[in-house]
């Protein structure tokens, strides 16, 4: 049975039943139909004196192109913790329409470990990402109108990009201002996908409406001839942008197929952005639950590193346990097997690919945290292969075999019990770098300590960027944008056996998000569609049911 059929056949409860179980007053909830709602951010103020619950971070090995079931694991673990009577809340990112209609599909889990209503969450949901897109493009319109009306602020270069929440490679570089109107100066522009935009990052890192407005005002949108930065505040635009984002800033609550609470809010990618759900959602969950399961996108080298070095600094809390999801197919992929053959039996490739997984384990320990490996079992896995993996992990790291795709929370109880024990262990969390270091020092630390690179090279553009923003970006963390498929910046270098460099192509300051984006390799902030996109299979039948979303 397809995921969408399993989700459709589930018996969901009215969202008011889910929120009342958490003790949330009815007047703090704004329902969006029967099965989804927003929780007022003002309610967080009422919870400020409550003790935080335990925080569990779910991350993964470097993935195959179709992913390794990290979200499915997060959902199954949350359901399993509730099954063993631990009051647990799940917090996830909102899916982007880019992957839904592209190659990766939706982001609501799979099998019997899903969040619902599946179609709503994967498509327009409560409109948060549309609000972010509108705010982003309103700022673009204000910039170009300001220039058209006389350019009082003296724009010499505009660095703010437009965005759209779809994979559209044709928008990577565009010409605008071609109407021929007087005072209209044509210029080159480009689009990011919305989930890579600075406003998405700001949305996810803001701690209140006031903080949101402050951060929006600090966005650098361009520079004068003297290289003086021009901000959103200079354009008097932050108020309008805040108004567009006001309702979206309240976290969304839905449920798992087992009727357990799930807060889904914010959706930055981890390869080209910082890859974590919103601070507000996580804070809300920590106050409402005894255990909170959250995730960071893609492999631990991207999502977990950014969670620990960027989000934790804003959240004021670090994980009490870290789950690293691994699959046999990903181990084979990183053991040299072609992606079309990863479901075929190959114990030798598993022995080769284990180095990728153990590097992630080592990295999490560098932060002073306690990891556990969750082996996400697929129907194509053989007992012989699983036994090989278990022997490779024995004595090196604790592990658990997952079967929640087929069995729901029941299939993740072993993991849940082990995670509860890990949460009681001592930890000595420390980010991998100090904020006081230079941008170069931070890049070098991540590249060498987390990726295992031998060195870093900088393009002429990157050197120019560094000189321009070093003083502006003092004490900011860095967010490295690179391929998710490898520790290196080359998606084809899966084994990373030979010494490699991280090749920095450009660097941008995100002054509102308060971090620096470092682009490495051939990474694009506007993805493209594959030859046969998922959009070709998505449809609606005569009864009005959506089909083809996975």
């Amino acid at each position: 049975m397809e995921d969408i059929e399993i989700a459709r056949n589930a018996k969901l409860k009215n969202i008011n039943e889910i929120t009342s179980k958490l003790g949330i007053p009815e007047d703090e909830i704004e329902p969006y139909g029967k099965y989804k709602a927003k929780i007022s951010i003002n309610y967080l103020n009422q919870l400020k004196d409550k003790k935080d619950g335990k925080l569990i971070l779910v991350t993964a090995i470097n993935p195959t192109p179709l992913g390794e079931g990290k979200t499915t694991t997060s959902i199954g673990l949350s359901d399993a913790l509730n099954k063993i009577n631990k009051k647990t809340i799940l917090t996830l990112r909102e899916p982007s329409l880019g992957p839904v209609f592209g190659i990766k599909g939706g982001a609501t889990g799979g099998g019997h470990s899903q969040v619902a209503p599946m179609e709503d969450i994967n498509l327009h949901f409560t409109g948060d990402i549309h609000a972010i897109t509108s705010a982003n493009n309103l700022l673009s319109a204000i910039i170009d109108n300001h220039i058209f009306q006389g350019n009082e602020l003296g724009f010499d270069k505009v660095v703010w990009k437009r965005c759209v929440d779809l994979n559209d490679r044709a928008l990577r570089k565009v010409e605008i201002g071609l109407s021929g109107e007087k005072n209209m100066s044509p210029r080159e522009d480009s689009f990011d996908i919305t989930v890579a935009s600075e406003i998405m990052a700001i949305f996810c890192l803001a701690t209140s409406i006031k903080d949101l407005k402050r951060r929006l005002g600090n966005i650098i949108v361009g520079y004068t001839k003297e290289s003086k930065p021009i901000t959103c505040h200079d354009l008097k635009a932050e108020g309008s942008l805040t108004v567009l984002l006001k309702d979206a800033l309240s976290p969304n609550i839905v449920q798992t197929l087992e009727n357990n609470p799930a807060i889904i809010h914010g959706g930055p990618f981890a390869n080209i952005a910082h890859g974590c759900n919103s601070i507000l959602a996580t804070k809300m969950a920590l106050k409402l639950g005894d255990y909170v399961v959250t995730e960071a996108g893609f492999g631990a080298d991207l999502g977990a590193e950014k969670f620990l070095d960027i989000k934790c600094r804003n959240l004021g809390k670090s994980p009490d346990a870290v789950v690293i999801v691994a699959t046999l197919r990903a181990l084979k992929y990183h053991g040299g097997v072609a992606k079309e053959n990863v479901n075929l039996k190959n114990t030798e490739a598993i022995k080769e690919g284990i180095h990728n997984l153990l590097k992630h384990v080592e990295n999490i320990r560098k932060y002073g945290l306690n990891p556990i490996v969750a082996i996400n079992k697929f129907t194509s896995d053989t007992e012989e292969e699983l036994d090989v993996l278990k022997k490779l992990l024995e004595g090196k790291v604790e592990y658990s075999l997952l079967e929640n795709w087929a069995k729901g929370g029941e299939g993740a109880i072993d993991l849940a019990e082990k995670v509860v024990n890990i949460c009681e262990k001592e930890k000595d969390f420390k980010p991998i770098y100090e904020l006081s270091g230079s941008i170069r020092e931070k890049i070098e630390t991540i590249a060498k300590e987390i990726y295992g690179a031998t060195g870093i090279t900088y393009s002429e553009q990157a050197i120019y960027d560094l000189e321009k923003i070093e003083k502006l970006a003092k004490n900011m963390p860095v967010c490295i944008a690179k391929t998710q498929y490898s520790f290196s910046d080359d998606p084809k270098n899966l084994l990373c056996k030979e010494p490699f460099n991280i090749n920095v192509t450009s660097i941008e300051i995100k002054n509102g998000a308060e971090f620096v984006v470092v682009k490495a390799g051939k990474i694009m902030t506007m993805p493209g569609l594959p030859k046969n996109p998922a959009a070709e299979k998505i449809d609606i039948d005569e009864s009005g049911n959506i089909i083809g979303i996975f």
Side-chain angles (χ1 to χ4, degrees), residues 80-121:
L81 285 164
N82 277 293
K83 272 187 178 293
I84 61 172
N85 298 315
K86 304 296 182 183
K87 187 181 179 184
T88 304
I89 300 173
L90 175 69
T91 58
L92 299 173
R93 292 173 297 161
E94 300 181 46
S96 162
L97 292 179
V100 171
F101 291 108
I103 188 172
K104 199 164 179 286
T108 53
H112 293 275
S113 288
Q114 296 187 55
V115 282
M118 183 260 218
E119 299 105 309
D120 290 9
I121 297 167

Side-chain angles (χ1 to χ4, degrees), residues 408-427:
E410 192 67 35
I413 284 179
D414 178 67
L415 176 63
E417 290 173 340
K418 288 176 177 176
V419 163
V420 168
N421 290 334
I422 289 173
C423 284
E424 299 307 317
K425 290 183 179 180
E426 287 188 15
K427 60 175 184 175

Side-chain angles (χ1 to χ4, degrees), residues 198-464:
E198 183 173 0
I199 292 188
M200 174 61 85
I202 289 170
F203 182 88
C204 288
L205 293 171
T207 56
S208 64
I209 284 279
K210 183 179 179 182
D211 187 42
L212 175 72
K213 185 177 177 180
R214 176 189 68 82
R215 287 172 176 271
L216 291 170
N218 287 341
I219 294 170
I220 293 173
V221 296
Y223 293 89
T224 66
K225 284 183 179 179
E226 296 75 32
S227 294
K228 178 187 174 185
I230 302 170
T231 67
C232 176
H233 177 72
D234 294 329
L235 290 164
K236 303 172 185 174
E238 70 265 41
S240 294
L241 271 59
T242 305
V243 167
L244 281 177
L245 296 170
K246 175 182 70 71
D247 292 339
L249 200 62
S250 292
N252 310 298
I253 185 164
V254 289
Q255 62 192 289
T256 69
L257 298 189
E258 296 185 13
N259 310 122
N260 294 311
I263 298 177
I264 301 180
H265 196 227
F269 283 168
N271 56 346
I272 52 179
H274 79 281
C276 314
N277 67 272
S278 76
I279 292 277
L280 285 168
T282 307
K283 281 180 174 288
M284 187 84 73
L286 286 167
K287 296 299 183 185
L288 292 170
D290 296 327
Y291 290 83
V292 173
V293 177
T294 191
E295 70 170 37
F298 292 124
D301 58 318
L302 286 169
E305 185 275 313
K306 293 167 185 177
F307 187 100
L308 300 171
D309 286 318
I310 298 175
K311 181 169 179 175
C312 285
R313 283 182 159 113
N314 288 271
L315 182 64
K317 182 174 175 64
S318 61
D320 296 284
V322 179
V323 178
I324 303 174
V325 180
T327 60
L328 290 179
R329 68 182 191 180
L331 290 166
K332 294 174 201 174
Y333 188 61
H334 291 283
V337 172
K339 62 184 177 183
E340 59 269 19
N341 296 324
V342 293
N343 289 327
L344 301 178
K345 181 180 172 182
N346 192 327
T347 55
E348 290 306 309
I350 293 169
K351 293 175 185 177
E352 188 67 51
I354 194 70
H355 300 295
N356 184 283
L357 173 57
L358 293 178
K359 172 62 175 165
H360 288 296
V361 171
E362 176 194 337
N363 286 346
I364 294 301
R365 287 177 174 153
K366 286 180 180 179
Y367 287 90
L369 299 173
N370 301 309
I372 178 172
V373 171
I375 306 168
N376 188 19
K377 186 179 179 184
F378 280 67
T379 53
S380 59
D381 298 345
T382 68
E383 289 303 317
E384 183 184 350
E385 289 175 310
L386 289 169
D387 287 341
V388 167
L389 176 54
K390 290 174 185 177
K391 286 175 184 175
L392 290 167
L393 295 176
E394 206 71 52
K396 296 183 179 70
V397 62
E398 195 166 11
Y399 64 85
S400 178
L401 182 65
L402 289 181
E403 297 186 80
N404 58 288
W405 187 93
K407 299 178 181 179
E410 192 67 35
I413 284 179
D414 178 67
L415 176 63
E417 290 173 340
K418 288 176 177 176
V419 163
V420 168
N421 290 334
I422 289 173
C423 284
E424 299 307 317
K425 290 183 179 180
E426 287 188 15
K427 60 175 184 175
D428 186 23
F429 174 71
K430 187 179 180 183
I432 205 72
Y433 57 80
E434 297 293 334
L435 289 179
S436 56
S438 69
I439 296 174
R440 280 180 182 263
E441 288 170 339
K442 293 165 192 172
I443 295 170
E444 182 171 321
T445 299
I446 295 171
K448 292 184 176 180
E449 291 292 325
I450 302 301
Y451 305 157
T454 53
I456 301 93
T457 65
Y458 294 87
S459 69
E460 287 185 15
Q461 180 64 49
I463 293 169
Y464 171 79

Side-chain angles (χ1 to χ4, degrees), residues 61-75:
I61 185 174
N62 288 102
T64 62
L66 293 176
E68 306 317 306
K70 186 169 65 279
T71 302
T72 303
T73 298
S74 299
I75 297 165

Side-chain angles (χ1 to χ4, degrees), residues 96-239:
S96 162
L97 292 179
V100 171
F101 291 108
I103 188 172
K104 199 164 179 286
T108 53
H112 293 275
S113 288
Q114 296 187 55
V115 282
M118 183 260 218
E119 299 105 309
D120 290 9
I121 297 167
N122 274 319
L123 297 174
H124 302 285
F125 201 17
T126 57
D128 294 348
I129 295 182
H130 294 317
I132 291 166
T133 303
S134 295
N136 185 102
N137 293 341
L138 172 61
L139 182 52
S140 289
I142 290 171
I143 292 165
D144 286 308
N145 181 62
H146 178 88
I147 295 169
F148 176 83
Q149 300 294 350
N151 196 12
E152 184 182 339
L153 292 171
F155 276 92
D156 180 58
K157 183 177 182 181
V158 176
V159 295
W160 186 250
K161 298 179 181 180
R162 287 166 164 82
C163 72
V164 63
D165 190 41
L166 293 168
N167 291 359
D168 191 347
R169 62 170 54 83
L171 295 178
R172 287 174 181 165
K173 192 172 285 188
V174 296
E175 287 283 331
I176 64 169
L178 302 179
S179 65
E181 296 169 78
K182 187 180 178 182
N183 297 335
M184 183 69 79
S185 300
R187 66 177 177 87
E188 190 178 278
D189 199 0
S190 57
F191 279 71
D192 288 334
I193 191 167
T194 300
V195 288
S197 68
E198 183 173 0
I199 292 188
M200 174 61 85
I202 289 170
F203 182 88
C204 288
L205 293 171
T207 56
S208 64
I209 284 279
K210 183 179 179 182
D211 187 42
L212 175 72
K213 185 177 177 180
R214 176 189 68 82
R215 287 172 176 271
L216 291 170
N218 287 341
I219 294 170
I220 293 173
V221 296
Y223 293 89
T224 66
K225 284 183 179 179
E226 296 75 32
S227 294
K228 178 187 174 185
I230 302 170
T231 67
C232 176
H233 177 72
D234 294 329
L235 290 164
K236 303 172 185 174
E238 70 265 41

